[in-house]
Amino acid sequence: MSEPAIRVEDLSKVFRLHTERRSSLKEIVVRGRSRRAGSFQALEGVSFEVPRGTTVGLIGHNGSGKSTLLKILAGVYRPTSGGVVVDGRVSALLELGAGFHGELTGRENIYLNGSILGMSRREIESSIQEIIAFAGIGEFIDSPVKVYSSGMYVRLGFAIAVTLDPEILIVDEIIAVGDEEFQRKCFDHLFRLRNQGTTIVLVTHSMGLAAELCDTAVWLDHGHVRAIGPAPEVISEYLGAVNENEALSNDEPGMIRAGLDAVRSGSGEVQVRAVEALDQLGRPLPVVLTNEPLTLRVHFDVKVPVRDVTIGIGFIHENGTGIGGSNTREHGVPIQLEPGVGYIDYTTDRLDLMPANWRMSTAVRSHGHVYDMLEKAFPLPVRSSGGSTEGGAVRIHGRWGAAVQEDSPSTAPSAATP
Ligand SMILES: Nc1ncnc2c1ncn2[C@@H]1O[C@H](COP(=O)(O)OP(=O)(O)OP(=O)(O)O)[C@@H](O)[C@H]1O
């Protein structure tokens, strides 16, 4: 078996936090006389290997040490203790603008980066048109990079990092800054490099991307490796812990109240008080999971008797698009209400909303008259228990048949697995 491309052994990183003197009275009042000097352990006892030609995803909560680890792999930071062996030509795309010289033009920065990677001028010249085309920033390529927008920085940085033929590519979440089309181009390129045998280490908060792209995942938790292994398994373990934490931080599990910014309209004889999320046994659901059974219990107050009432719920995706909804009239459920409090359940055996921070609207009406309307008022975070590779806002129902190969010549080489 070949030597691993990267070996990390018992790695630790401690940052020194320096005392900052406050000079103005305002600063002293706001922040205190000085910040205490101290240290912060960003990584502790981290060990793992990256076999050559594999793709590894670093996942974990904000501040868990992912970027610090990447910077150590890229040689930007030195470890406090432990060791890192990176065997191969490394190209890294770290934080915005890292590795660029602000006064130099994009074109000059390509030469600078190439020479840092140990390439000859001729080698760089043979790639430069490809880099410029990939970056797609037009005439800005001859402007100093200090005038670039963040998207332009990322475009040029990614183009340089992937085109200069790295053996090991290190990429921080940063490509998320680019626009949708550029992101797709980046991901396509990452796939191509992966299939060509480039070793890739990437940090991502997108579990879908990690599941799709990575062979293995390393889950960092407060600077320690919490789990390491095949990406789908580590991702679902990580998501399980994230969901559990979210559940624990909810002091009224399952109960969804209208946000403080909610705008209520209607004549008010009936008003929705809250929506409760329940599982199939009627127990409060602290975390709503896609693809799982869900009952939404709409609690309401009734002030006077009302007849022929229609109650409805609408679902709005976090991008603002109203995706769909349901109401009692369409389902032929007659509702007559007397003064007091009550509830009505809306149940689905399998929630088809994909993971996102959804919002719900509720409406209570009768023959066009609005008693109560709360638009986009109720937050409904939908989470996943695994990194799904299916995108979009809702699940589309359908079945796939088995793959059928027609006219396959017997002499054809067998298909390579990606
Ligand atoms: N130069 C530095 N000096 C002091 N502390 C630092 C420095 N760089 C990072 N840290 C701290 O180390 C911890 C890990 O940071 P790091 O950026 O590696 O986390 P991360 O997992 O990449 O987070 P995110 O997902 O938010 O990008 C954080 O608490 C951060 O504040």
Side-chain angles (χ1 to χ4, degrees):
M1 215 171 110
S2 72
E3 280 292 295
I6 297 173
R7 180 180 289 141
V8 177
E9 261 173 17
D10 202 18
L11 177 72
S12 295
K13 177 71 188 172
V14 177
F15 288 112
R16 301 259 158 252
L17 304 174
H18 298 292
T19 311
E20 267 175 34
R21 297 193 120 233
R22 310 289 186 216
S23 47
S24 72
L25 180 62
K26 189 169 156 196
E27 268 193 292
I28 291 171
V29 171
V30 174
R31 296 179 174 157
R33 194 162 286 279
S34 68
R35 199 170 73 181
R36 217 177 312 143
S39 59
F40 182 81
Q41 179 111 34
L43 294 170
E44 189 175 15
V46 172
S47 299
F48 64 93
E49 287 185 355
V50 182
R52 210 166 288 283
T54 60
T55 299
V56 176
L58 302 182
I59 61 174
H61 61 84
N62 291 128
S64 56
K66 304 179 295 295
S67 300
T68 303
L69 178 53
L70 276 198
K71 285 181 186 156
I72 292 175
L73 295 180
V76 176
Y77 287 159
R78 243 182 295 160
T80 306
S81 65
V84 168
V85 179
V86 179
D87 183 12
R89 186 152 85 183
V90 180
S91 187
L93 185 65
L94 301 171
E95 67 209 352
L96 217 54
F100 284 141
H101 194 299
E103 300 295 334
L104 301 182
T105 66
R107 192 185 298 273
E108 289 162 342
N109 268 291
I110 297 175
Y111 281 99
L112 179 69
N113 275 269
S115 58
I116 290 170
L117 284 175
M119 302 180 78
S120 68
R121 200 174 170 85
R122 182 171 299 179
E123 280 177 296
I124 300 169
E125 262 155 19
S126 73
S127 309
I128 199 159
Q129 285 318 321
E130 198 187 337
I131 295 173
I132 292 173
F134 194 107
I137 55 172
E139 62 211 32
F140 276 93
I141 196 68
D142 290 310
S143 302
V145 300
K146 66 180 182 191
V147 305
Y148 282 17
S149 70
S150 43
M152 286 180 193
Y153 262 117
V154 173
R155 282 171 168 267
L156 184 61
F158 191 81
I160 294 174
V162 299
T163 316
L164 293 181
D165 197 21
E167 289 163 345
I168 300 172
L169 179 66
I170 292 174
V171 192
D172 208 339
E173 183 93 82
I174 201 72
I175 39 182
V177 176
D179 60 28
E180 181 91 17
E181 183 222 333
F182 186 72
Q183 278 182 27
R184 216 166 297 149
K185 210 160 119 181
C186 292
F187 297 143
D188 286 348
H189 212 83
L190 286 179
F191 275 108
R192 210 166 308 142
L193 288 177
R194 176 182 183 269
N195 292 342
Q196 281 167 14
T198 308
T199 306
I200 303 174
V201 183
L202 66 107
V203 162
T204 182
H205 284 283
S206 157
M207 294 305 121
L209 175 69
E212 205 165 344
L213 201 60
C214 300
D215 304 296
T216 41
V218 177
W219 169 14
L220 285 179
D221 187 2
H222 295 97
H224 297 91
V225 174
R226 173 102 172 246
I228 181 164
E233 289 166 28
V234 176
I235 290 167
S236 80
E237 213 180 319
Y238 168 65
L239 288 176
V242 171
N243 292 339
E244 207 175 294
N245 278 345
E246 192 167 298
L248 287 174
S249 65
N250 188 347
D251 50 8
E252 222 185 4
M255 194 58 85
I256 307 167
R257 309 251 173 217
L260 295 174
D261 54 347
V263 179
R264 191 187 283 276
S265 56
S267 55
E269 290 86 345
V270 185
Q271 284 194 325
V272 171
R273 280 194 299 133
V275 179
E276 200 176 359
L278 305 168
D279 70 8
Q280 70 268 50
L281 298 175
R283 295 171 302 196
L285 257 183
V287 175
V288 172
L289 293 176
T290 183
N291 217 9
E292 295 287 329
L294 172 69
T295 291
L296 291 169
R297 176 164 293 176
V298 181
H299 293 268
F300 48 76
D301 290 331
V302 186
K303 296 194 180 86
V304 296
V306 283
R307 299 282 163 260
D308 295 333
V309 176
T310 300
I311 296 180
I313 306 184
F315 299 97
I316 299 95
H317 190 258
E318 64 188 10
N319 67 12
T321 311
I323 297 292
S326 186
N327 71 53
T328 51
R329 171 178 286 269
E330 289 298 317
H331 287 250
V333 177
I335 303 177
Q336 326 297 339
L337 298 172
E338 298 301 324
V341 294
Y343 65 78
I344 185 163
D345 287 347
Y346 172 66
T347 296
T348 171
D349 297 331
R350 210 179 89 162
L351 182 64
D352 288 321
L353 304 183
M354 298 297 268
N357 290 321
W358 290 82
R359 295 191 84 83
M360 290 181 288
S361 298
T362 56
V364 185
R365 309 167 198 253
S366 180
H367 302 292
H369 174 78
V370 178
Y371 291 120
D372 188 45
M373 172 90 80
L374 279 164
E375 276 188 79
K376 306 180 187 174
F378 300 93
L380 182 72
V382 175
R383 304 297 181 230
S384 155
S385 55
S388 169
T389 54
E390 287 179 323
V394 290
R395 191 163 290 102
I396 307 292
H397 291 278
R399 279 187 309 280
W400 289 99
V404 176
Q405 258 193 297
E406 296 176 305
D407 296 334
S408 170
S410 56
T411 50
S414 59
T417 46

